[in-house]
Amino acid sequence: MSSRTLRRRLHHGDVDGKRQEHLETSGLDSLSEPLLADDDYIENKKICTLEDLWDDERKKAQFHWTFIFSNLIAQWAQWLANVVLGSGSILGRLLSFPSAALNMQNNRMLPPSLSPLQEDRLRNLRQRLEVPFDGSKAEHQDALKLLWKLAYPDRELPSLKSDLWKEMGWQGSDPSTDFRGGGFISLENLIFFAMKYPDSFQRLLHKQDGTRAEWEYPFAVAGINISFMLAQMLDLQAGLPSSSSGIHFLKLLEEDEMAFDILFCVAFQMMDAQWLAKRATYMEFNDVLKSTRTQLERELALEDISSVKDLPAYNMLR
């Protein structure tokens, strides 16, 4: 009979304030008799009878057939799995559902293949997003001046550094210091809003809707934050948008090259409605912006939305 070494080692550990003991064994084969047999053990050891030999043979035969049947069952199970889990099978789809559901919980989906038109428009939009605001560039200075003229058509244009800019909702006398992560596209968004939906733009600028707070959000800076929020929500910095909202937006972009700018207008109007509903004040602006993002994500996920103008919130624009 084969033998092995048996080692017993007692370890003491303090786990959660309690003493614990661990027993470890190691060796080559199962231990069936002492390593060093004494004389009494040799004298008393039994001699195998014929019946014992037959018992051993029966056990060997049982083990042999058990091994064969186990292999057959394993092969049959593998064949069945290949058939049932094949592509297109109902059960295969059901088993893959948890993975898909997990991706949806993380608000992530497989990036879609884009049409040439989508690729071109997405590339152009990304190029716009990568342009920082530069107050030393004449083009950017002219854009600021244009925004002032659209906002206050009957007023004289101030210098690029003036306290009058605070009336539009810039935090300081120099608007260029407020852009930060918003980039030049946020200024383009504000100009688009003023030109495309002048009535809504003016009502938001002058806080003409609802009962306003004593400490209101600054209009221009709010616009910069909305542009930044949209770029994040739509996953526009990624190689290909994989968020649910980003993928839905690609359809809108194929329909209208200015989909991002129109969505900015919708989001701004939606944000102001949230502001009024929550009776928010300046310190609650970030919470209102989060609520706006959540509502916008829900509307983008609605069925039969093929254009920004199909969004329910679009109807608030005038």
Side-chain angles (χ1 to χ4, degrees):
M1 302 176 68
S2 61
S3 64
R4 72 168 183 172
T5 60
L6 176 67
R7 291 182 295 177
R8 298 169 59 91
R9 191 183 316 164
L10 193 63
H11 298 288
H12 297 279
D14 191 356
V15 180
D16 297 330
K18 298 180 180 179
R19 304 289 294 178
Q20 292 191 347
E21 296 182 350
H22 304 281
L23 181 64
E24 290 185 359
T25 63
S26 63
L28 299 176
D29 301 309
S30 60
L31 183 66
S32 58
E33 61 184 61
L35 291 173
L36 298 175
D38 55 22
D39 294 338
D40 292 336
Y41 178 83
I42 295 175
E43 291 176 0
N44 294 329
K45 189 172 183 179
K46 295 182 179 180
I47 301 174
C48 292
T49 63
L50 183 60
E51 183 178 352
D52 293 331
L53 294 175
W54 277 110
D55 285 342
D56 289 341
E57 291 299 324
R58 283 195 295 268
K59 290 178 181 178
K60 290 179 181 179
Q62 288 177 339
F63 177 81
H64 175 73
W65 286 109
T66 300
F67 177 78
I68 291 176
F69 281 123
S70 297
N71 278 342
L72 289 174
I73 291 173
Q75 293 176 11
W76 178 82
Q78 183 62 48
W79 172 83
L80 181 62
N82 291 336
V83 172
V84 173
L85 298 181
S87 61
S89 67
I90 296 176
L91 185 55
R93 293 174 186 172
L94 290 176
L95 292 176
S96 65
F97 177 76
S99 176
L102 181 60
N103 286 334
M104 289 300 295
Q105 287 178 354
N106 294 330
N107 202 28
R108 294 282 151 186
M109 300 170 65
L110 290 176
S113 56
L114 303 182
S115 68
L117 182 60
Q118 285 176 315
E119 288 182 355
D120 184 59
R121 289 181 174 178
L122 182 59
R123 187 186 312 108
N124 293 338
L125 179 55
R126 284 207 181 109
Q127 289 174 352
R128 292 175 61 195
L129 287 165
E130 292 172 359
V131 178
F133 180 85
D134 187 347
S136 65
K137 288 186 176 180
E139 178 187 358
H140 293 196
Q141 294 175 4
D142 290 342
L144 263 178
K145 295 174 182 177
L146 175 60
L147 179 62
W148 178 274
K149 292 177 181 178
L150 291 169
Y152 308 108
D154 300 326
R155 294 178 60 180
E156 183 179 351
L157 177 67
S159 64
L160 292 177
K161 291 184 180 180
S162 168
D163 285 340
L164 292 175
W165 288 100
K166 295 179 183 178
E167 296 181 22
M168 192 187 292
W170 303 99
Q171 293 180 317
S173 59
D174 183 2
S176 64
T177 61
D178 285 335
F179 284 94
R180 301 180 187 131
F184 185 60
I185 194 172
S186 57
L187 180 53
E188 291 180 319
N189 291 153
L190 286 167
I191 292 172
F192 178 88
F193 193 6
M195 296 178 69
K196 185 74 173 178
Y197 307 100
D199 186 43
S200 290
F201 179 88
Q202 290 293 332
R203 296 187 71 83
L204 293 180
L205 172 63
H206 297 289
K207 307 294 194 302
Q208 294 175 349
D209 293 331
T211 303
R212 313 306 304 196
E214 291 185 10
W215 197 4
E216 278 287 323
Y217 64 84
F219 175 81
V221 174
I224 293 175
N225 279 271
I226 290 171
S227 294
F228 184 74
M229 179 271 288
L230 287 178
Q232 286 188 318
M233 183 188 78
L234 301 176
D235 207 16
L236 294 175
Q237 288 84 4
L240 271 180
S242 58
S243 68
S244 175
S245 297
I247 291 175
H248 284 106
F249 173 73
L250 291 175
K251 300 176 183 177
L252 310 186
L253 189 62
E254 187 172 29
E255 180 68 22
D256 192 333
E257 187 175 10
M258 304 306 294
F260 184 83
D261 299 80
I262 301 174
L263 195 61
F264 169 86
C265 303
V266 173
F268 210 139
Q269 186 72 64
M270 184 185 291
M271 185 278 296
D272 190 72
Q274 290 274 352
W275 178 273
L276 293 173
K278 293 176 179 292
R279 298 181 179 179
T281 61
Y282 180 85
M283 299 303 294
E284 298 170 295
F285 177 78
N286 286 336
D287 291 334
V288 173
L289 196 60
K290 290 178 183 177
S291 299
T292 302
R293 172 171 175 163
T294 299
Q295 183 181 350
L296 200 56
E297 287 174 334
R298 289 173 181 167
E299 293 201 8
L300 285 170
L302 294 174
E303 295 182 0
D304 301 326
I305 301 295
S306 58
S307 168
V308 181
K309 297 178 181 179
D310 293 331
L311 296 173
Y314 179 82
N315 296 321
M316 292 191 294
L317 291 173
R318 307 172 194 175

